[in-house]
């Protein structure tokens, strides 16, 4: 590992030691942060898997319910009734705290399922279809919210890992090698000064 091109002075040695200490402390903190992020990410991945199963279950019940309604009512009659049915859904963006960070998320507010059409012209299949698709919409919103958090955590894990690698493979080894070089140079200079002073004393004693 290449060291920094610094003059071997005591002041530079102090600065390099401080830089090395800061880098090592930063490495420890980033490593802890990375571990926390990975744990949170794995939890979100498990949530995604569970919600995907729920989504598959809802799809398996919602679309057959729709087919049964179309068979019972007919496509034209179902189309006419659907024109008079309007629900107001509120899709809100919110923030959730995860691993000490505020992350974007979604929240849906479902309206109450009401009988929007004439009871005389309604079928049980209509109510069943509405309720099943309400369930599917809720699960899809939750899945989108958790996936968004998981993607954000994954990006943060990659970013933190790059910083950890930079400290581990570049910053810390460079500072450590520079410290060793300066210390060795200063020790050699001290030995040279010691032997020089000894020689001067001996020479002065002979004179």
């Amino acid at each position: 590992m290449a060291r920094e091109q610094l003059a071997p002075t005591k002041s530079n040695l102090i600065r390099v030691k401080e830089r090395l200490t800061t880098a090592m402390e930063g490495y420890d903190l980033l490593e802890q942060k990375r571990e926390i992020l990975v744990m949170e990410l794995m939890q979100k991945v498990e949530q995604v898997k569970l919600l995907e199963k729920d989504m598959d279950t809802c799809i398996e019940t919602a679309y057959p319910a729709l087919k049964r309604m179309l068979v019972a009512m007919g496509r034209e009659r179902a189309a006419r009734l659907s024109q008079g049915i309007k629900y107001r859904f509120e899709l809100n963006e919110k923030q959730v705290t995860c691993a000490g960070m505020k992350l974007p998320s979604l929240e849906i507010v479902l309206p109450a399922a009401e009988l929007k059409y004439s009871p005389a012209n309604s079928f049980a299949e209509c109510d069943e279809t509405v309720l099943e698709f309400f369930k599917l919409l809720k699960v899809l919103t939750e899945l989108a919210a958790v996936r968004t958090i998981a993607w954000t955590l994954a990006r943060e894990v990659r970013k933190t890992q790059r910083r950890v690698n930079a400290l581990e493979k570049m910053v810390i080894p460079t500072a450590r090698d520079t410290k060793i070089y300066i210390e060795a140079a200063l020790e050699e200079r001290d030995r040279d000064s010691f032997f020089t002073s000894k020689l001067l004393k001996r020479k002065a004693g002979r004179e």
Side-chain angles (χ1 to χ4, degrees):
M1 176 62 64
R3 59 176 175 80
E4 296 179 74
Q5 299 300 318
L6 293 176
T9 63
K10 291 184 178 180
S11 59
N12 281 339
L13 178 60
I14 293 172
R15 282 194 287 269
V16 170
K17 284 183 176 180
E18 291 175 349
R19 195 180 310 147
L20 179 59
T21 300
T22 301
M24 294 180 70
E25 290 175 352
Y27 173 83
D28 291 337
L29 291 174
L30 285 173
E31 186 64 23
Q32 293 175 16
K33 178 183 177 181
R34 187 189 67 82
E35 292 176 358
I36 293 172
L37 287 171
V38 169
M39 290 176 58
E40 291 286 351
L41 177 59
M42 296 307 296
Q43 291 179 1
K44 294 304 176 185
V45 169
E46 290 301 318
Q47 288 183 25
V48 168
K49 291 179 181 179
L50 293 175
L51 286 169
E52 285 177 344
K53 290 181 180 179
D54 292 343
M55 178 188 67
D56 293 337
T57 302
C58 288
I59 289 174
E60 289 174 359
T61 55
Y63 282 94
L66 176 61
K67 290 180 181 178
R68 288 193 297 270
M69 184 196 71
L70 293 175
V71 170
M73 298 184 61
R75 291 182 178 272
E76 292 183 2
R77 190 175 185 183
R80 287 197 304 271
L81 286 176
S82 65
Q83 291 176 359
I85 302 174
K86 292 183 180 180
Y87 284 106
R88 179 179 178 82
F89 299 93
E90 293 184 13
L91 188 62
N92 302 320
E93 183 178 352
K94 65 176 185 178
Q95 286 188 332
V96 296
T97 302
C98 186
M101 301 182 298
K102 290 186 177 180
L103 304 178
S105 183
L106 294 173
E107 181 182 43
I108 190 169
V109 180
L110 297 175
E114 300 176 1
L115 193 66
K116 297 287 188 178
Y117 32 84
S118 171
N121 295 325
S122 66
F123 290 82
E125 289 82 3
C126 296
D127 297 333
E128 181 186 5
T129 302
V130 170
L131 293 175
E132 291 297 339
F133 273 92
F134 270 25
K135 293 178 185 177
L136 178 57
L137 182 59
K138 188 174 188 302
V139 171
L140 288 173
T141 304
E142 292 176 357
L143 179 58
V146 177
R147 277 181 174 172
T148 300
I149 294 173
W151 289 334
T152 305
L153 287 173
R155 287 195 296 269
E156 195 65 27
V157 168
R158 287 195 294 269
K159 186 191 302 182
T160 304
Q161 186 62 57
R162 285 196 297 268
R163 292 175 178 173
V164 169
N165 290 340
L167 287 171
E168 181 182 10
K169 300 182 184 303
M170 294 180 60
V171 177
I172 292 177
T174 298
R176 186 180 289 124
D177 289 351
T178 304
K179 171 179 168 292
I180 292 172
Y181 161 73
I182 294 177
E183 287 175 342
L186 291 176
E187 288 177 2
E188 184 176 359
R189 185 182 300 170
D190 290 340
R191 285 195 298 269
D192 291 343
S193 298
F194 176 76
F195 287 124
T196 301
S197 64
K198 283 288 188 181
L199 290 174
L200 290 175
K201 287 181 180 179
R202 288 178 184 177
K203 184 177 180 182
R206 286 196 300 268
E207 291 177 352

